[in-house]
Amino acid sequence: MKKFLKIFTTILVIALILFIYFRYFFVFGEGVKAGQLNYVMKKGVMFKTYEGRLIQAGFQGGTAGTIQSNEFRFSVTNESVANKLMTNSGKDFELHYKEYMGTLPWRGTSTFIVDSILSMKEGRPGSVIPLSQ
């Protein structure tokens, strides 16, 4: 009975570690989103995180006859990236992000984590501001 309990406990601990890894640390997807940066702000009670919203071009309707804007809500873990975003609100950005299955309180409230800025454009078409990474 003790041997069975030891094996069962070991399997349970390994399964729990694998579940936590795949749920919170495994990168489910990566991609790039482009649009106009609406806002980025630092908020939170215990864990201060950077949260933002990007308004993408185009419209989508949830039901027939309705129109709503495409919003990309994201979190930022890198403080230098967040500061660049906060000082350039209203400009057009291309943001690289990673998607996780679950959220962690110190990582933000979104499963989409922006890790870098690929490009930033002024309001005028064709004026690209290069960013040094």
Side-chain angles (χ1 to χ4, degrees):
M1 184 67 178
K2 284 185 178 184
K3 186 175 183 179
F4 172 76
L5 190 59
K6 190 183 278 187
I7 292 171
F8 179 74
T9 304
T10 303
I11 291 172
L12 189 64
V13 167
I14 290 171
L16 183 63
I17 289 170
L18 286 173
F19 172 77
I20 290 171
Y21 171 75
F22 282 110
R23 178 78 178 162
Y24 299 106
F25 297 102
F26 177 73
V27 177
F28 179 67
E30 288 186 63
V32 176
K33 295 275 187 178
Q36 185 179 31
L37 183 66
N38 192 358
Y39 66 83
V40 173
M41 64 181 173
K42 187 174 185 178
K43 67 179 190 176
V45 177
M46 285 195 60
F47 297 102
K48 299 291 185 188
T49 60
Y50 296 98
E51 308 299 325
R53 183 169 74 172
L54 190 75
I55 306 297
Q56 297 176 286
F59 294 98
Q60 69 179 11
T63 59
T66 62
I67 295 176
Q68 66 184 35
S69 65
N70 296 322
E71 295 181 349
F72 174 59
R73 295 183 183 268
F74 60 89
S75 299
V76 183
T77 56
N78 187 332
E79 189 171 354
S80 65
V81 171
N83 287 332
K84 283 182 188 176
L85 291 171
M86 281 194 289
T87 57
N88 292 292
S89 184
K91 295 183 181 174
D92 291 330
F93 282 91
E94 287 183 1
L95 303 175
H96 182 268
Y97 68 92
K98 294 180 180 178
E99 182 179 2
Y100 295 91
M101 297 288 284
T103 62
L104 292 170
W106 54 87
R107 196 166 58 193
T109 60
S110 174
T111 58
F112 299 102
I113 308 298
V114 169
D115 57 359
S116 63
I117 302 170
L118 299 179
S119 71
M120 177 177 62
K121 298 177 186 175
E122 290 290 335
R124 302 181 320 263
S127 60
V128 176
I129 301 170
L131 296 172
S132 59
Q133 296 281 335

